[in-house]
Amino acid sequence: MPTMNEVKSRPVAALAAYYPLEIGGERVDALSGKTFPVINPATGQTLCEIAEGDAADIEAAVAAAEKAAPAWGGMSPLQRAEILNRAAAILAERMPSFVEIEVAQTGRPIREMKAQLARMPEWYSYFGAVARTYESSVPPFGGSYVNYTRRKPIGVVGLVTPWNHPLLILTKKVAPALAAGNTVVVKPSEIAPITPLMLADVLRDAGLPDGAYNVVPGFGVAAGASLCDHPRIGKLDLTGGTETGRKVAAMAGEKLIPFSGELGGKASVVVFDDVPEQEAVAAALFASFVAAGQTCVQGARLLVQRNIYDKVVELLVKRTDALRVGDPTDPRTQMGPLVSARQLAIVEKYVEIGRQEGATVAAGGERLTDGAFANGFFHAPTVFTDVTNDMRIAQEEIFGPVVCVMPFEGEDEAVTLANGTPFGLAASVWSRNVARAHRVAERIDAGIVWINDHHRIDPSSPWGGFKDSGIGKENGIVCYEGYTKLQSVVVNLSDETFDWFADDETEKRYS
């Protein structure tokens, strides 16, 4: 049983009682007048009310973004970079308020959110630098021609963001989209919409034109569907589940606009026998239980070479049982609650499925309900052993603090197991043998592979998956390019007259 810290109901200093929509540089109520509550997952109490946007509000936001597009897209890259750099500085200054709100709306421990959010300003300064320094190409066209390319803004882009990393995942989309000269309409998760609204003040104070950044919280069936199906959106970028991604990609396909989707995952942590057991277990704990497992790159599958498997399991169970679960505002807390009652129910369902499939619950396996925990959405960190790769708990994304441990004999079986899911977002390989580590990493069919680490990110490092984990990339120059339209300009430098249909018996060059 994990160690439990008492959950206390603390006031959130940075929190307002009500948050309207952000459209055209103004805070406005939803046209319907509706609102919905945001719930603190640690206490079950209402944090605040949020304006509930729908199709009419999405239309207003798109119109505002269209109005702002010429001014923002017409600025020089240097001007945009200066504004993004100011945004980075302002965000860093206001970071304590963002951390407090993120903890309150997601339930993630403050020790995690401080570490994660401290890096957010880097995305704005990085993509400002990319915009400032990006160089177009001059393809070798041949003959008396010069061919050059240039990147142009797409226009208005729609961003659909999740609840598990509200500011991080939003920032990974907003920074490159704005750097490339686009204006944006954001539909954040209804579970954690507060910090996306707070970001509007940062960008406004940095000098972003009114209407370049719009936020319409609401529910997927109304606001989300309206944004994704809007006829004047130039690109859709979604982070969410695979099935939702398929539907949004189909909408984009109907309109023949670009789509980028960072979707589901079922990451494997591959541990070879030359890694000390204590180090392997520390790696597994971080990969499996950071964010209470609510991350698309969670190390949900721990693959351990057979001759150290028993020892690793023994140590893993011992350390899992010792994790401090509780009040996310307490710096000592190592794991907080699930984000919602729905997510808790999903985890409980899969734990029961695992039992029915014949897997062994070696640690955890139950909801935490004692005392103050009864009002929150807490589940014990859970370890399954006796797992086979065909079990649902080994194949399907649970998105909670559940890890399946499976043994393997050698490299070939490790790779087969690591690739043996429909997903291909991320994996990690742990080995002191440098050649083996690189060899295995190359064979794993995932968009991100860490060697001797897990869940590391940088604004310059491309992020995105293969297979059912989505298409497109976040981060890096490739992401910046994905928010642009590529135009090729071909210039004829010859002074000679060209007349294809002239009857002068000369051989004509067509291409």
Side-chain angles (χ1 to χ4, degrees):
M1 191 66 150
T3 303
M4 294 187 287
N5 292 345
E6 183 182 358
V7 181
K8 298 179 180 179
S9 181
R10 296 181 172 93
V12 183
L15 189 67
Y18 167 66
Y19 289 86
L21 314 177
E22 172 73 26
I23 298 177
E26 297 181 353
R27 291 293 174 87
V28 298
D29 296 333
L31 291 171
S32 68
K34 292 181 179 180
T35 66
F36 64 91
V38 175
I39 304 300
N40 184 330
T43 65
Q45 297 175 348
T46 296
L47 284 169
C48 62
E49 291 288 325
I50 303 285
E52 182 184 333
D54 58 19
D57 303 295
I58 290 292
E59 173 58 36
V62 171
E66 288 177 317
K67 184 178 179 180
W72 180 244
M75 285 187 185
S76 70
L78 174 59
Q79 290 172 307
R80 293 199 296 268
E82 289 174 341
I83 290 173
L84 291 176
N85 283 329
R86 285 199 294 271
I90 294 169
L91 182 58
E93 180 183 332
R94 300 178 187 176
M95 193 56 68
S97 295
F98 279 89
V99 170
E100 187 179 23
I101 296 293
E102 290 278 73
V103 171
Q105 69 180 352
T106 67
R108 288 187 61 180
I110 192 168
R111 67 200 299 266
E112 289 183 15
M113 296 317 298
K114 278 185 175 180
Q116 183 182 95
L117 267 60
R119 299 201 58 201
M120 292 304 93
E122 296 176 37
W123 266 259
Y124 296 94
S125 55
Y126 170 81
F127 280 105
V130 170
R132 177 72 181 88
T133 60
Y134 187 88
E135 296 181 358
S136 297
S137 64
V138 183
F141 196 91
S144 59
Y145 294 88
V146 169
N147 180 196
Y148 64 89
T149 65
R150 57 187 176 194
R151 297 276 173 178
K152 305 179 71 173
I154 290 173
V156 180
V157 298
L159 309 179
V160 182
T161 60
W163 47 259
N164 58 327
H165 305 289
L167 188 62
L168 169 62
I169 292 176
L170 174 67
T171 289
K172 289 199 294 180
K173 301 179 191 306
V174 167
L178 292 179
N182 302 290
T183 57
V184 305
V185 177
V186 180
K187 207 301 281 185
S189 168
E190 67 277 8
I191 294 175
I194 308 173
T195 47
L197 288 164
M198 292 169 60
L199 183 62
D201 293 328
V202 171
L203 296 171
R204 183 186 299 109
D205 292 346
L208 190 73
D210 290 346
Y213 177 79
N214 306 274
V215 186
V216 182
F219 295 89
V221 294
S226 298
L227 178 61
C228 294
D229 204 33
H230 198 285
R232 303 197 306 279
I233 291 291
K235 174 177 177 169
L236 288 169
D237 191 338
L238 162 83
T239 296
T242 297
E243 290 311 307
T244 300
R246 293 186 198 280
K247 294 175 183 177
V248 175
M251 291 179 179
E254 279 292 318
K255 296 191 291 288
L256 297 178
I257 63 172
F259 168 75
S260 181
E262 203 261 56
L263 308 177
K266 193 76 173 176
S268 293
V269 177
V270 183
V271 178
F272 286 94
D273 60 3
D274 56 348
V275 177
E277 288 90 348
Q278 294 282 3
E279 183 178 330
V281 169
L285 286 169
F286 175 69
S288 302
F289 300 130
V290 70
Q294 299 169 117
T295 173
C296 48
V297 296
Q298 180 213 10
R301 295 156 50 89
L302 177 59
L303 313 181
V304 184
Q305 198 153 18
R306 189 175 296 278
N307 55 328
I308 62 168
Y309 173 86
D310 290 340
K311 183 63 174 177
V312 166
V313 168
E314 178 186 347
L315 291 174
L316 177 63
V317 169
K318 182 178 180 181
R319 289 206 57 187
T320 299
D321 284 340
L323 289 176
R324 288 191 299 276
V325 181
D327 184 356
T329 66
D330 186 338
R332 298 171 301 167
T333 296
Q334 295 172 318
M335 198 182 91
L338 279 300
V339 77
S340 66
R342 178 179 181 273
Q343 199 60 34
L344 175 60
I346 290 171
V347 172
E348 289 184 293
K349 179 190 77 171
Y350 272 101
V351 170
E352 181 57 29
I353 288 171
R355 287 191 172 101
Q356 292 175 0
E357 290 180 313
T360 299
V361 176
E366 60 188 3
R367 178 179 179 176
L368 303 178
T369 58
D370 291 346
F373 289 88
N375 298 318
F377 312 128
F378 292 89
H379 195 282
T382 298
V383 176
F384 272 113
T385 57
D386 301 314
V387 178
T388 58
N389 198 45
D390 59 343
M391 291 181 179
R392 289 181 63 187
I393 58 170
Q395 290 292 312
E396 298 175 13
E397 187 174 39
I398 300 173
F399 226 66
V402 179
V403 59
C404 299
V405 193
M406 293 179 279
F408 66 86
E409 293 292 346
E411 285 183 34
D412 288 343
E413 187 179 9
V415 170
T416 298
L417 282 173
N419 290 338
T421 79
F423 300 104
L425 181 56
S428 60
V429 178
W430 296 77
S431 176
R432 295 300 189 208
N433 184 323
V434 174
R436 175 167 62 186
H438 284 276
R439 202 164 52 234
V440 172
E442 195 277 332
R443 295 176 64 191
I444 291 178
D445 194 19
I448 310 158
V449 180
W450 296 280
I451 293 178
N452 295 331
D453 215 326
H454 198 93
H455 206 163
R456 300 300 177 178
I457 191 170
D458 189 88
S460 66
S461 178
W463 179 285
F466 304 155
K467 302 190 290 186
D468 282 3
S469 290
I471 57 177
K473 296 293 181 184
E474 295 177 327
N475 299 340
I477 292 174
V478 66
C479 177
Y480 174 84
E481 292 176 340
Y483 276 104
T484 65
K485 299 184 291 190
L486 178 64
Q487 184 180 59
S488 179
V489 180
V490 182
V491 184
N492 183 2
L493 301 179
S494 174
D495 284 334
E496 296 181 8
T497 301
F498 176 78
D499 186 345
W500 178 262
F501 293 103
D503 191 13
D504 55 11
E505 299 181 356
T506 59
E507 184 175 348
K508 304 294 193 297
R509 180 179 184 270
Y510 183 72
S511 61

